[in-house]
Amino acid sequence: MKKFFATAVAALFMVMNVNAQNEDLKHEIGVSYGLGISLIGDGIGHAISHGVWDAMNGREWANDKQLGTFGVEYFYHLDNPKLAVGGIVTYAQYGEDVVDKSDRNIKCGDRMRRYVSVMPAVKYSWVNKNHFALYSKVAAGVMFNFEKEKNLEKNTESSYSNTYFMAQVSLIGVEFGSKVRGFVELGGGEQGIFLLGMKYKF
């Protein structure tokens, strides 16, 4: 996934054209990285499990493996240049080992959760200039959660999957550049509380 993200960013730079006028550009596609709500929820659940569940069972979680949230988004700008509609797809994963509480060197198992979200989205640009924009963004859709857990003591492996409602609300977003733009957003949801990325407008 990290290699895919690096390749996508490199491709955006390859198609850069600094002489374009943004009022003629209807489409944009971008890639982003942030810390989404599923990973935050995992962190809270992790803390609770340390305090209650694992204390009762002589186990605890260790060696967190957070990948973060990667996003790919597309928007089409309507005749109203400030309004755009599109969609966002995100991927995140969170994993950890299960260890014996009395001896953390004894590994009892591990758990890995992967999250894929698909969300239609709307973006409104408060300021929309050729080399700068200030905007807000709202998205809502569905998240698919895939979980796999191994118990080394019992030599068993189990898999689960669930579907949830998911959303992203970016209160403030800033982008800068010409056809290729960098952007940062502050808000909340699966794409990230704070996220940054690159986009290509065409």
Side-chain angles (χ1 to χ4, degrees):
M1 183 56 66
K2 291 181 179 179
K3 187 177 294 184
F4 166 78
F5 185 72
T7 302
V9 171
L12 291 176
F13 277 109
M14 289 175 62
V15 296
M16 189 161 103
N17 180 352
V18 296
N19 296 319
Q21 296 298 311
N22 288 330
E23 59 266 23
D24 297 328
L25 307 177
K26 294 287 190 180
H27 309 271
E28 65 177 67
I29 185 168
V31 292
S32 66
Y33 178 80
L35 183 63
I37 194 169
S38 63
L39 299 183
I40 295 171
D42 268 318
I44 294 173
H46 184 137
I48 294 173
S49 70
H50 269 284
V52 181
W53 180 254
D54 290 328
M56 295 171 57
N57 291 277
R59 304 285 184 267
E60 66 181 13
W61 301 108
N63 305 320
D64 293 8
K65 308 173 187 71
Q66 292 191 33
L67 180 62
T69 301
F70 292 91
V72 177
E73 59 182 51
Y74 166 80
F75 283 97
Y76 174 78
H77 290 260
L78 305 176
D79 291 336
N80 178 348
K82 291 188 175 183
L83 188 63
V85 296
I88 301 169
V89 177
T90 66
Y91 175 84
Q93 70 178 43
Y94 187 106
E96 64 236 332
D97 294 333
V98 185
V99 298
D100 191 294
K101 196 168 185 178
S102 61
D103 186 349
R104 293 173 60 88
N105 292 318
I106 300 177
K107 182 177 177 180
C108 306
D110 58 52
R111 186 173 69 163
M112 177 65 68
R113 289 159 324 277
R114 294 178 173 85
Y115 304 91
V116 178
S117 296
V118 180
M119 301 177 288
V122 177
K123 184 171 78 168
Y124 184 82
S125 297
W126 305 100
V127 178
N128 189 23
K129 302 296 184 180
N130 287 338
H131 299 283
F132 172 81
L134 179 68
Y135 61 90
S136 298
K137 182 175 74 181
V138 177
V142 62
M143 180 179 76
F144 305 96
N145 172 26
F146 306 96
E147 181 173 330
K148 181 177 291 187
E149 186 169 343
K150 294 180 181 178
N151 187 321
L152 298 180
E153 296 174 313
K154 298 180 180 180
N155 195 27
T156 59
E157 181 175 304
S158 55
S159 299
Y160 311 91
S161 62
N162 294 288
T163 304
Y164 304 98
F165 170 81
M166 185 49 64
Q168 172 71 29
V169 178
S170 294
L171 301 175
I172 295 295
V174 178
E175 60 183 60
F176 43 87
S178 186
K179 285 188 77 174
V180 173
R181 292 188 165 197
F183 67 91
V184 295
E185 296 179 12
L186 180 65
E190 184 56 20
Q191 200 174 12
I193 293 178
F194 174 80
L195 63 101
L196 54 85
M198 299 292 295
K199 66 180 60 176
Y200 172 54
K201 306 190 78 171
F202 58 100

